[in-house]
Amino acid sequence: MKTEHIGIAVSNLEEAVKHYEKLFNRPPYKREVIEDQKVETVFFKTGESKVELLGATSDDSVIAKFIRKKGPGIHHIAFEVDDLEKEMKRMQSEGFRLLSNKPLKGADNKIIVFLHPKDAEGVLVELCQSISD
Ligand code: CMX
């Protein structure tokens, strides 16, 4: 599995974009709202991988809840797989709890599923598979 991206929860997306533009010395390559997840995402390329800034689009977004509880910071790590449904079955047979029974639409042309953070030593893990535009 390749580390596809690291998701960072931010309380002010525009301010965070400015900071990360300075950090990477380049602009983001993509911005996308995922309505179902109530998040707005902004992506920066970091070599083979990416950083995804995550802002809440409503107070009941999981990102808003996460920030209220833990403050801004690393929210999840996403690993890319070739066949998400196959990996979901494998993970379930290994005793991991999946947070959805079916793949969900993720940002940046991906289908995704999350594993419960309690099953990965307190880290929210996303498995993702690329799909065409
Ligand atoms: N990392 C580590 N632990 C986390 C966590 C995170 N990101 N989010 C929640 N937790 C912990 C909580 O602290 C809590 O722990 P305790 O029981 O010890 O207090 C536990 O998990 C349950 O959390 P909760 O706040 O009670 O439950 P939620 O209703 O917030 O659900 C979770 C948590 C992980 C299921 C939810 O945040 C989720 O579904 N996240 C995935 C959605 C998401 O991130 N979407 C954006 C994706 C965009 C993309 O990449 O495409």
Side-chain angles (χ1 to χ4, degrees):
M1 289 183 197
K2 166 185 136 185
T3 304
E4 212 282 332
H5 65 264
I6 294 175
I8 299 176
V10 305
S11 41
N12 182 323
L13 190 58
E14 302 320 317
E15 288 299 316
V17 169
K18 282 186 207 155
H19 287 145
Y20 275 80
E21 276 180 339
K22 286 183 194 157
L23 196 153
F24 295 131
N25 199 22
R26 82 181 68 143
Y29 72 90
K30 190 160 188 175
R31 180 184 276 262
E32 186 178 353
V33 173
I34 309 291
E35 302 280 358
D36 296 351
Q37 315 247 356
K38 299 179 181 167
V39 297
E40 183 165 8
T41 61
V42 174
F43 283 91
F44 290 86
K45 284 218 160 68
T46 53
E48 291 277 296
S49 191
K50 301 161 189 168
V51 162
E52 175 189 44
L53 301 181
L54 293 155
T57 58
S58 88
D59 271 355
D60 61 346
S61 158
V62 289
I63 298 303
K65 193 172 174 188
F66 176 87
I67 288 173
R68 279 198 294 274
K69 196 165 176 183
K70 301 190 189 219
I74 293 182
H75 178 259
H76 67 265
I77 301 181
F79 298 107
E80 184 159 37
V81 299
D82 293 331
D83 184 338
L84 186 57
E85 304 241 12
K86 190 171 152 198
E87 279 302 315
M88 288 169 70
K89 286 195 189 106
R90 188 182 72 80
M91 292 287 173
Q92 273 176 318
S93 72
E94 294 285 3
F96 289 90
R97 284 166 290 174
L98 306 180
L99 297 182
S100 61
N101 295 327
K102 287 185 190 166
L104 307 174
K105 184 195 177 305
D108 207 19
N109 305 322
K110 297 280 183 295
I111 49 172
I112 63 174
V113 72
F114 287 95
L115 308 182
H116 198 284
K118 299 280 178 208
D119 294 343
E121 278 65 34
V123 174
L124 179 59
V125 169
E126 175 188 316
L127 301 178
C128 61
Q129 179 189 329
S130 293
I131 50 169
S132 46
D133 271 317

